[in-house]
Structures are given as C-alpha cells and as structure tokens.
C-alpha cells in the first residue's frame, strides 16, 4: 500500500527564481502493520493473489521511482534555465544602464551646446561699444585743440572673453581689449619753449601681398588668470586680475555701466585698475540674505613693466572687505579697499671704464602710495544710488619732473613732483522704468551723476568736476543705447574753460 | 534596479504635466549633502552667489529652457526676476566677473539624476520616486493664496 503524502511546488516571485518540490512518499512494503483510515490491517501473503498484488506494487514502485527521477531531472533543468534567465536579465539591465548613461551624457553635451551656457566648455563672448560724441567748447578757450573739434564717431571698447572650467575647482578667465590705438595717438605738440614737435602715431603698414594699406591696432590684456575655487570662502587667483575695489572697476564693461564716460579717477588710475600677482578671495554667508566678501591682493604693484617684472623689491598688498544685504526690494552693499605699494622707474646706463663695459641702473622715480576706497550701492525697488570715494597719499623717495596730465609734458618751471594727496568722489542716481513693448521687456533709465577729482593736491590745476545726466534705453538685455550730456569744469586750469560733452553710445554684449 | 531603470526610460518631459496649478518640487542629486533647502539659499545657488555645497561639492543648478512655463514660475517665485531681468543679470555677471549662467535642460530630472551636485526643479506630476531626492516643495499659487 502506498500513499502520496504531499507534493508542494513553490514559486517565489514572478520570475520563477526558486522552485522547490518535495515529495514525501510512504510505502507499506514490507511492513508489519500500517494505519489505514484508523484501522490496523495485518498483511497476509498466503494466497497467490497476494503474490500477484505484491508484484504489481513492485512494478508501480519502479514506475514511481522513474517518474520521480524524471521530475528531479526536470527540476534541475528548470533551475538551470532560471539562473540563465536571471543572468540574461542582469546583462540586459547592465547594457541598458550603460546605454542610457551614454545617451544621457551625449544629450547633456548636445544640450549644453545648443541651450544656455555650459560651464565645462570653452566659452567665448564679449562686448563692444560704438560712440558718437561732440565736445562743445568756446572758440576762445586756449586749449581748444586739446579735444576733437568735430562731431565724431568712435569705436570704443572691444573686449573679448575666453573662459573655461577645466575641473570642479579650476577655471581660467582671460579678457582682451582690442583697440585701434596707438594709431591716432598724439605723442607730442609743437611747443617752441620746450622744443617739441607735433607727432601723431601712425601705425599704417603696407601689406606686401595685397599692397593694402592697413592701420594696425593694439591688444591689451585686461586680465588673464587661473582661479582655484575649493570653497566659497576660499579661492585663489594667479595672474593678472582686476583690482577688487569699488563698483566701477568691477563693472567696467560698457553694457553694464549706466553712463557713457567713466569717472576721471578711472581714467587717471588713482588706484591701479589691475594688478599682476596673487589674490585670495572668498565669501562668508551670515544668513541667506547677508554675506561678507573679502579679498587679499599681492602683486608687483604699479610700474611701467608691472605685468612682466617688478622694478623694486617691494610687493604691493591690498585688502578688500565688502558687506552685502540682499532683500526682496532692498539691496545694500558697502565696502572698502586698502592698497599699499611702491612704484619705481629706472634707467639703465652702459658705461665703459678701463675697457670694460658696465651697466648701471639709476632709479629715476620712486614713491610709496597708500590708498583707501569706500563704496556704497543702494537699490530700493528700481532706484539705484551708488557712490565711491577714494583717497591716497603719495610720498616720493626719488622725484621725477612734474608733468601736465594728458599733455604729458614737464611743467614750465621745471618742478619736481612733490608729495601729495589725491582724492575723488562721485555719486550716481538712476531709476529703471520697465515696460513691455513688441512682446519684449524694455527698460529706460534716466540718470544723474556728479564727480569731483583732485588728482594731485599740490597741483590744483588738475582738479576736475563733471556734472552730467542722461538716459539709457535697453530694448534687450544685451543692448544699451545711451545718451548723456555733461558739463566739465577744470576750475583751476587757466587754459581750459568749462566745456560740454555730448555722447551717444551703443553698447552691445555678444 | 529594474524599477528605477523602467522609470528613467519613460521619464516625461517638463511639459508633460497635468493641467492646473501644481506644486514645484526642488529636486537634488543624491550626492548633495542636504535634506532641505530654503528659497533664499536656492536663489543664491541659481544666481551663483553660492557655488559650493557644504563639504565643497560644486553646486550645479539646472534650469528649464527659457521657453518652459515652469522656468517662468521658478524665476518669479525663487529668483524674483523676470526672464529678461535674469538675462540682463547674466550678461552683467559675464562681463563683471566672468560668471556664466546655469545650463538648461529639456529633461531636468534626468540631468539632476546624472549630474553630481546638481539641483533642479520640476512639477510634482513629473516626479518619479527614487530618481532624485526632494529638498523643497514650493506650493502652487492657489495653495499659497489659500494660506
């Protein structure tokens, strides 16, 4: 007698990852007694029928064993297939992930090129401005000829930027300024007293291939540096960088600036506009809306070779601190910069003594300057108020001849440069009127500005005041059309009367 | 793994969202050491006033294209400036400091999934569990009005 006690097949999961089968078979061969339906049955082998039955059971048993072996074989095969299937699935997943990542990277790269700017690529952009200007001067003004007499067009600044983010922490930025200068630069004037002649730079050359006459221009490096940025609060710049002072020098590009003309202290570089060396800078957040910026500068300082080498052993140092609060409709930023450095100029003389050539260096100019600047920018809704104040002390160890600025000729009395104080201040008020036109958001910004500059308090001739007002129209974010008119006063300089300057400017970023 | 893969294969685009106002989810790559972020911090990240996460990982803000409606909403709510104003802001930053605007992607969820340190924004209906983590929920305008 036999009984199939249990057959159980478990499928774990839809992928049939696990199959188990258990057979529990109980056979009553040969047994003395077997419990069947609660009764005890004694086997009886005395009759032939029983013998036949026994044979039949043996046959059944063998058949069952064969079936069991087949079932086990099938189970092994099913298990093997299951494993193979699992491995195939895993391979497919891996392939898909790899493919997806590749597609994703490709897509990211493509999108980065066709959509907005992407950090990791070399980026080239820039700005330029085209100007139309006119100096309105009384004919009686003695130095009338100092300024262009007629309404003139001018290609002003053309700056080109190259930027690259090589790694997460390393980036480079180079800004080049292309200029038509020195072509057209007036080197000197006919001046019988000093015996100088009028000389205007002419860089025109003849192309031997085309026989074309071509006026060469110039290329200036505004800045070029490597920046290492491991943290927001700690960054290092190495190279030539813009001096981190004030507002104007940081803004510095015509599409960013509101007026057409820079303040006089920028033209005369009361503080060096750029330096070559190292700068450490960073930002500390006090809260979400308030942060403090700092910068420490170490450089060659000023000098006629400042970008290439230092003409004295003293390095210039500077410290910038700036606090910023940025609210929803109220922004306030205020800061200062201190600069301390030596400036030296030399001439080299070759002499022949005892049939031996020697080279001697003479220091012809050396001074130490200590400058401080303050700046404030206040923005309330669309109103912008900004101001900067600069003050510097200059102490000479080696005094050169005193020169007239702009003219760059020695003073008539042959004076030497004296220690002096220089200072300047300007204030700018502007208001943005935003409006929609032709489905575009446009902006009109009227502004007024006043500046006063004492370039050298020992020579009050250089004092300059400039009152101006104007209007900016920005039909698109990358375009500014500006107009300004201003009254320039050089109150202590006898040869220049008050004059008006009218300027239009088209400033474009690209 | 299979489920995440399946979700990514059928990632919807930013435009495929249900009609009507929706919450905006600020999503972040799993590498970012943050569980939450404020609107102010987010603004600083997207305007690149802050460029690093705590620990020094680069913060990589991911925008939608300017044509996307969600981009306009995000600009208004978080950046508090119009698209034109933002464009002007970046034109100025490029000239002043050489700082360029964040990249924009048609499928920001995929970008945030794939780019270390990245943070982006999507409508709630576009969110798929497991692809990135949510660090801020900006309620829809209607919910804001109710509050």
């Amino acid at each position: 007698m036999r009984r199939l006690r249990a057959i159980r097949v478990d499928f774990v999961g839809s992928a049939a990852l696990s199959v188990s089968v258990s057979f529990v078979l109980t056979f009553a061969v040969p047994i003395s007694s077997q419990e069947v339906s609660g009764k005890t049955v004694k086997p009886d082998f005395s009759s032939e029928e029983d013998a036949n039955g026994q044979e039949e059971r043996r046959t059944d048993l063998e058949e069952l064993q064969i079936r069991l072996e087949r079932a086990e074989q099938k189970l092994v095969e099913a298990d093997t297939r299951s494993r193979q299937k699992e491995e195939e699935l895993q391979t497919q997943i891996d392939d898909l992930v790899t493919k997806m990542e590749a597609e994703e990277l490709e897509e990211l790269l493509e999108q980065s090129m066709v959509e907005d700017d992407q950090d990791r690529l070399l980026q080239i952009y820039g700005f330029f401005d085209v100007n139309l200007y006119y100096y309105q001067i009384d004919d009686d003004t003695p130095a009338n000829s100092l300024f262009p007499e007629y309404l003139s067009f001018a290609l002003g600044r053309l700056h080109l930027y190259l930027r690259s983010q090589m790694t997460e922490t390393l980036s480079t930025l180079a800004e080049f300024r292309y200029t038509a200068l020195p072509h057209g630069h007036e080197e000197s004037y006919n001046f019988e007293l000093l015996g100088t002649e009028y000389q205007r730079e002419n860089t025109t050359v003849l192309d031997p291939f085309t026989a074309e006459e071509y006026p060469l221009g110039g290329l200036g490096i505004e800045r070029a540096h490597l920046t290492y940025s491991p943290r927001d609060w700690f960054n290092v710049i190495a190279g030539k960088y813009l001096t981190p002072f004030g507002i104007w020098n940081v803004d510095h590009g015509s599409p960013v600036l509101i007026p057409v003309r820079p303040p006089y202290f920028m033209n005369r570089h009361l503080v060096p506009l750029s330096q070559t060396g190292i700068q450490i800078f960073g930002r500390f957040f006090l809260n979400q809306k308030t942060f403090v910026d700092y910068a420490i500068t170490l450089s060659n300082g000023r000098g006629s070779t400042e970008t290439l080498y230092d003409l004295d052993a003293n390095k210039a140092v500077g410290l910038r601190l700036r606090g910023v609060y940025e609210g929803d409709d109220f922004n306030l930023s205020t800061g200062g910069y201190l600069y301390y450095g030596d400036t030296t100029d030399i001439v080299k003389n070759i002499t022949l003594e005892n049939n031996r050539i020697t080279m001697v260096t003479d220091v012809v100019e050396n001074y130490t300057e200590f400058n401080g600047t303050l700046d404030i920018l206040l923005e309330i809704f669309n109103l912008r108020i900004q101001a900067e104040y600069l003050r510097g002390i200059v102490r000479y160890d080696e005094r050169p001849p005193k020169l007239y600025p702009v003219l760059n000729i020695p003073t008539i009395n042959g004076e030497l440069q004296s220690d002096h104080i220089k200072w300047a201040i300007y204030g700018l008020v502007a208001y943005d009127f935003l409006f929609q036109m032709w489905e575009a958001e446009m902006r009109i910004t009227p502004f007024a500005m006043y500046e006063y500059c004492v370039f050298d308090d020992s020579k009050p001739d250089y004092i300059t005041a400039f009152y101006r007002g104007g209007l900016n129209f920005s039909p698109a974010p990358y375009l500014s059309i500006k107009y300004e008119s201003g009254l320039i006063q050089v109150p202590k300089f006898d040869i220049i009367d008050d004059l008006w300057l009218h300027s239009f400017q088209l400033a474009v970023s690209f | 793994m299979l489920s995440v893969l399946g979700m990514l294969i059928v990632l919807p685009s930013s435009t495929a969202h249900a009609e009507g106002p929706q919450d905006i989810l600020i999503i972040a790559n799993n590498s970012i050491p943050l569980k939450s972020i404020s609107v102010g911090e987010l603004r600083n990240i997207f305007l690149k006033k802050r460029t690093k996460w705590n620990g020094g990982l680069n913060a990589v803000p991911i925008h939608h294209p300017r044509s996307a409606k969600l981009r306009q909403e995000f600009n208004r709510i978080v950046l508090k400036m119009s698209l034109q104003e933002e464009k002007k802001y970046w034109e100025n930053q490029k000239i002043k400091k050489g700082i360029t605007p964040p990249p924009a992607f048609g499928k920001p969820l995929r970008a945030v999934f794939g780019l270390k340190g990245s943070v982006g924004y999507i409508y709630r209906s576009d969110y798929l569990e497991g692809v990135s983590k949510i660090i801020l929920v900006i309620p829809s305008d209607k919910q804001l009005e109710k509050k």
Side-chain angles (χ1 to χ4, degrees), chain A residues 443-457:
Chain A
R443 172 194 307 254
I444 285 184
T445 309
F447 67 90
M449 181 172 166
Y450 170 73
E451 65 171 291
Y452 191 84
C453 180
V454 178
F455 181 64
D456 180 343
D457 72 340

Side-chain angles (χ1 to χ4, degrees), chain A residues 19-298:
Chain A
V19 180
S20 69
V21 179
S22 67
F23 288 95
V24 181
L25 298 171
T26 305
F27 300 98
V29 182
I31 50 174
S32 58
S33 65
Q34 183 74 34
E35 188 177 299
V36 178
S37 303
K39 296 177 182 176
T40 303
V41 181
K42 281 193 175 179
D44 185 1
F45 302 111
S46 60
S47 65
E48 189 179 336
E49 192 178 328
D50 287 344
N52 290 339
Q54 206 167 9
E55 182 64 27
E56 193 178 320
R57 282 195 294 274
R58 189 172 294 113
T59 307
D60 286 348
L61 179 61
E62 285 170 2
E63 191 180 331
L64 271 173
Q65 280 176 330
I66 291 167
R67 289 171 66 185
L68 177 61
E69 284 170 4
R70 285 178 184 164
E72 284 175 345
Q73 181 65 30
K74 283 181 181 176
L75 278 173
V76 169
E77 288 172 2
D79 190 42
T80 307
R81 281 199 301 274
S82 171
R83 285 177 196 279
Q84 285 173 346
K85 188 74 180 170
E86 194 179 353
E87 285 171 5
E88 282 172 15
L89 276 170
Q90 189 58 49
T91 308
Q92 284 178 8
I93 289 168
D94 291 345
D95 288 348
L96 278 168
V97 167
T98 308
K99 191 179 171 189
M100 188 196 71
E101 285 173 350
E103 284 176 355
E104 187 172 318
L105 284 173
E106 194 177 340
E107 186 183 349
L108 294 183
L109 203 60
E110 279 176 13
Q111 286 180 344
S112 71
M113 287 189 283
V114 297
E115 294 189 331
D116 293 333
D117 297 325
Q118 162 65 293
D119 277 352
R120 290 190 175 83
L121 303 175
L122 176 66
Q123 295 170 334
I124 303 174
Y125 59 91
F127 69 88
F128 71 92
D129 57 71
V130 180
N131 302 270
L132 177 65
Y133 66 104
Y134 175 62
Y135 282 96
Q136 184 184 339
I137 312 169
D138 286 343
D139 291 340
D140 300 336
T141 300
N144 200 343
S145 300
L146 192 61
F147 308 96
E149 190 175 350
Y150 304 105
L151 179 71
S152 299
F153 289 100
L155 178 62
R157 286 173 175 262
L158 168 58
H159 287 221
L160 194 67
Y161 291 73
L162 302 179
R163 183 186 183 279
S164 177
Q165 184 84 39
M166 290 90 71
T167 69
E168 281 197 358
T169 53
L170 280 178
S171 64
T172 57
L173 177 68
E175 181 182 353
F176 303 102
R177 179 181 178 182
Y178 293 82
T179 172
L181 293 169
H183 187 79
H185 169 63
E186 292 177 324
E187 190 72 33
S188 59
Y189 304 90
N190 281 335
F191 193 6
E192 284 183 19
L193 194 65
L194 294 176
T196 57
E197 291 185 352
Y198 179 68
Q199 284 187 337
R200 187 175 56 217
E201 195 81 48
N202 185 356
T203 60
T204 303
V205 292
L206 190 74
D207 185 337
F209 176 61
T210 61
E212 178 196 14
E213 287 186 340
Y214 189 78
L216 295 176
L219 175 65
I221 302 171
E222 292 281 303
R223 54 180 155 176
H225 53 73
L226 175 72
T227 306
Y228 173 59
S229 306
R231 294 286 189 278
D232 277 326
W233 52 268
F234 181 77
N235 305 267
V236 183
I237 274 179
K240 184 175 183 182
Y241 51 83
L242 299 183
T243 303
F245 82 92
I247 301 166
W248 205 287
N249 196 48
V250 175
D251 289 358
H252 86 281
S254 45
V256 180
L257 299 166
I258 295 172
V260 175
R261 303 272 176 170
Y264 197 64
F265 74 78
M266 290 289 292
N267 290 340
R268 298 275 73 82
H269 301 189
L270 258 66
V271 174
L273 306 186
S274 61
Q275 299 176 55
T276 302
I278 293 171
Q279 182 187 158
I280 297 170
F281 68 99
R283 172 169 292 173
F284 291 95
F285 283 87
L286 304 181
N287 57 49
Q288 294 165 23
K289 295 182 174 180
T290 314
F291 53 85
V292 175
D293 288 342
Y294 78 93
I296 300 165
T297 58
L298 176 71

Side-chain angles (χ1 to χ4, degrees), chain B residues 101-120:
Chain B
F105 294 102
K107 294 172 182 171
L109 189 55
R110 284 187 69 160
V112 170
F113 173 75
L115 284 173
K116 202 172 154 190
S118 61
V119 57

Side-chain angles (χ1 to χ4, degrees), chain A residues 221-407:
Chain A
I221 302 171
E222 292 281 303
R223 54 180 155 176
H225 53 73
L226 175 72
T227 306
Y228 173 59
S229 306
R231 294 286 189 278
D232 277 326
W233 52 268
F234 181 77
N235 305 267
V236 183
I237 274 179
K240 184 175 183 182
Y241 51 83
L242 299 183
T243 303
F245 82 92
I247 301 166
W248 205 287
N249 196 48
V250 175
D251 289 358
H252 86 281
S254 45
V256 180
L257 299 166
I258 295 172
V260 175
R261 303 272 176 170
Y264 197 64
F265 74 78
M266 290 289 292
N267 290 340
R268 298 275 73 82
H269 301 189
L270 258 66
V271 174
L273 306 186
S274 61
Q275 299 176 55
T276 302
I278 293 171
Q279 182 187 158
I280 297 170
F281 68 99
R283 172 169 292 173
F284 291 95
F285 283 87
L286 304 181
N287 57 49
Q288 294 165 23
K289 295 182 174 180
T290 314
F291 53 85
V292 175
D293 288 342
Y294 78 93
I296 300 165
T297 58
L298 176 71
S299 72
N300 286 340
R302 291 184 201 260
S304 51
T305 61
E306 64 184 53
T307 310
L308 299 170
Y309 55 94
D310 203 343
L311 290 172
D312 59 50
N314 299 321
K315 292 287 172 280
V317 291
L319 173 65
R320 164 74 167 165
L321 286 174
R322 173 176 171 247
V324 179
Y325 172 81
E326 293 188 335
D328 290 341
D329 296 307
F330 176 85
N331 299 329
L332 175 64
S333 148
T334 183
Y337 178 68
L338 296 173
Y339 172 89
Y340 180 84
D342 273 16
T343 302
T344 303
D345 201 3
I346 60 168
V347 293
K348 292 183 177 177
N349 310 290
I350 296 176
T351 58
L352 188 64
E353 291 178 7
N354 302 325
N355 290 327
R356 189 177 172 197
I357 291 177
T358 55
M359 185 177 275
V360 179
T361 299
D362 287 337
V363 175
V364 294
E365 179 180 10
N366 176 258
Y367 65 86
T368 302
E369 66 180 317
F370 182 57
N371 301 325
T373 74
L374 291 171
D375 57 88
I376 184 165
L377 172 63
L378 177 65
E379 291 171 304
I380 306 172
F381 293 96
N382 294 337
L383 177 69
R384 178 188 178 97
I385 301 169
Q386 77 179 58
E388 290 184 59
Y389 174 72
L390 302 85
R391 190 176 182 87
I393 302 167
V394 179
R395 297 272 181 264
Y396 280 87
D397 285 334
E398 189 64 42
R399 300 174 192 275
K402 182 172 276 189
L403 302 176
Y404 287 113
V406 183
L407 301 175

